[in-house]
Amino acid sequence: DYAPQLSETAALAGITPEQAIADIQAQTVRVIAIGFAPGQPYLGMLPDHWDIPRQNTLTESLPRGALITAVRQLIIWAADAPTGWRHIGQTAFRVYLPETATPFAFAPGDAVQFSAVSDQEFSDIRANTDTNGGAICEVLR
């Protein structure tokens, strides 16, 4: 339910859905741009086999926190909106926090790594409003 286009996307990348999940978790991607919606990060670059095109049609709406992909990039969706990218996962992370002193969660160049969780862990993360979607932030030097 949280990754409605994962199988299709994995097939386009020439791998299985399980390999796609492992591949994404193994990558450390960098914020290469922020745009389209406030705070929305474009993360890349993924390995060459992830050079899959955008869809030919729009998906009417994806939820905030959706993990989407196309052209060797990942995006954490900032707000409910349509897209031509493929929905391969879901986060509880908010990339835009207008009520805070630092409203954008990311800056260009930041490193991001994803971890898969079970449905129960995801439900628990969503229920805990004390963290931003279970994200762990570290300053690396």
Side-chain angles (χ1 to χ4, degrees), residues 1-105:
D1 292 343
Y2 298 121
Q5 294 173 301
L6 177 61
S7 292
E8 168 195 346
T9 305
L12 289 168
I15 56 180
T16 67
E18 294 76 21
Q19 288 170 319
I21 293 166
D23 202 12
I24 289 168
Q25 289 185 98
Q27 305 300 314
T28 298
V29 289
R30 296 248 176 216
V31 176
I32 54 178
I34 295 177
F36 181 73
Q40 185 164 284
Y42 289 73
L43 309 165
M45 299 297 286
L46 294 172
D48 288 344
H49 59 273
W50 284 94
D51 193 10
I52 57 173
R54 291 171 50 103
Q55 302 176 114
N56 292 326
T57 60
L58 287 178
T59 300
E60 285 189 30
S61 185
L62 292 184
R64 181 183 74 204
L67 181 63
I68 61 176
T69 189
V71 290
R72 294 183 57 204
Q73 297 174 68
L74 296 168
I75 297 178
I76 302 171
W77 215 230
D80 296 358
T83 186
W85 296 52
R86 289 176 172 84
H87 187 183
I88 62 165
Q90 187 67 41
T91 75
F93 189 72
R94 290 178 55 207
V95 297
Y96 180 54
L97 303 159
E99 69 280 6
T100 68
T102 310
F104 294 165

Side-chain angles (χ1 to χ4, degrees), residues 97-130:
L97 303 159
E99 69 280 6
T100 68
T102 310
F104 294 165
F106 294 115
D110 284 353
V112 179
Q113 190 164 22
F114 293 93
S115 298
V117 297
S118 69
D119 286 345
Q120 183 59 55
E121 288 170 314
F122 187 62
S123 179
D124 293 346
I125 288 167
R126 279 185 146 169
N128 182 355
T129 58
D130 292 341

